[in-house]
Amino acid sequence: MKRTIAILLLNLETLLALLFLCGGIVFLRQAQTNLPISQLTIAKNTLRQYADTLDCQRDNLDRFGTRVIPGYAVNLQELSILAKDLVPAVELIRQTTTLSTPKVFKIPSYQPLADFEQAAEDLKALLPRLSHTLQQTAQSFRDYTAQDHEKLIQSLDSTIVLLNVTADSLEQQIQALPAYARTTALAICLGGLVMLLFAATQFLLLPPQNA
């Protein structure tokens, strides 16, 4: 009787191990499909390009003053709109954090990317600030005077820094998300393999039926 119960328990353990293996593979496939790497890369590169462009324009403004004001107003207005348009890309990051491992029997599911939710929320909050800063900078061109020159240069410097900080945050997400997803999936698969090996060992250690 005890041997029969032991065999039943070992079969259950083997089934759980196989489910863990399958869960790890499924999670890895979901992560590879749902991670918005390409969209985030485009957004990051766009922010870098705008930061470099704005930096060059800032230098021109510092040299030529009010002669280039109209062009700057248009560019900054476009940047403000771009910052708002990036919010959906950041929302994709937040949605990615909801990916969870399959629920196995009474073992609760796990969201291994949940740690990135706060980073995504911070980035989502940062983009409206960036858009607002750009909008304010663009409006400051309307009544620009020589006395406002120094303050405007400082505002442009802050905007450039904010663009680069946002791009850095996106780059960190791009680099961290795939590796973290793979590590989590491999850990789940490894756990399943360990359970399989343990079950196989226990099968081998079972006493003979007539013992």
Side-chain angles (χ1 to χ4, degrees):
M1 184 65 179
K2 291 183 178 180
R3 176 184 171 84
T4 302
I5 295 175
I7 291 175
L8 289 175
L9 291 175
L10 288 173
N11 286 331
L12 179 59
E13 184 179 355
T14 301
L15 178 61
L16 286 173
L18 292 173
L19 288 174
F20 268 100
L21 278 173
C22 294
I25 294 172
V26 169
F27 176 78
L28 181 59
R29 290 177 63 88
Q30 286 182 343
Q32 290 175 340
T33 303
N34 296 325
L35 289 178
I37 299 300
S38 59
Q39 297 94 328
L40 295 178
T41 301
I42 293 173
K44 180 205 67 174
N45 291 337
T46 302
L47 288 174
R48 294 283 191 206
Q49 291 172 1
Y50 271 104
D52 293 340
T53 300
L54 191 58
D55 191 25
C56 293
Q57 292 178 342
R58 178 260 185 217
D59 292 339
N60 290 334
L61 178 62
D62 200 21
R63 287 196 303 269
F64 302 111
T66 57
R67 285 179 289 175
V68 291
I69 290 298
Y72 286 124
V74 174
N75 288 335
L76 291 173
Q77 186 68 32
E78 291 176 350
L79 276 172
S80 176
I81 296 173
L82 172 66
K84 291 181 180 179
D85 291 341
L86 289 176
V87 173
V90 178
E91 180 63 20
L92 286 175
I93 298 178
R94 194 194 64 77
Q95 293 175 359
T96 299
T97 62
T98 62
L99 289 175
S100 61
T101 58
K103 186 176 181 180
V104 179
F105 292 98
K106 293 186 178 181
I107 300 176
S109 61
Y110 173 59
Q111 293 182 346
L113 303 181
D115 291 341
F116 290 98
E117 184 174 2
Q118 186 59 49
E121 291 293 340
D122 292 342
L123 188 57
K124 187 177 180 180
L126 178 63
L127 287 174
R129 288 175 48 206
L130 174 60
S131 177
H132 181 67
T133 299
L134 291 167
Q135 183 68 30
Q136 284 187 327
T137 306
Q139 290 176 352
S140 68
F141 280 110
R142 296 176 182 176
D143 300 319
Y144 183 76
T145 64
Q147 290 75 21
D148 298 325
H149 183 75
E150 184 177 353
K151 293 182 179 180
L152 180 57
I153 292 298
Q154 292 175 354
S155 177
L156 287 173
D157 287 339
S158 298
T159 300
I160 293 169
V161 170
L162 192 55
L163 282 169
N164 284 320
V165 167
T166 306
D168 289 340
S169 181
L170 284 173
E171 186 171 6
Q172 290 176 1
Q173 301 298 320
I174 292 169
Q175 293 176 353
L177 281 173
Y180 196 80
R182 286 193 300 268
T183 300
T184 301
L186 289 175
I188 295 172
C189 292
L190 181 61
L193 286 174
V194 170
M195 291 176 65
L196 277 176
L197 291 174
F198 183 77
T201 302
Q202 293 301 311
F203 267 120
L204 294 174
L205 293 177
L206 282 175
Q209 186 171 1
N210 297 325

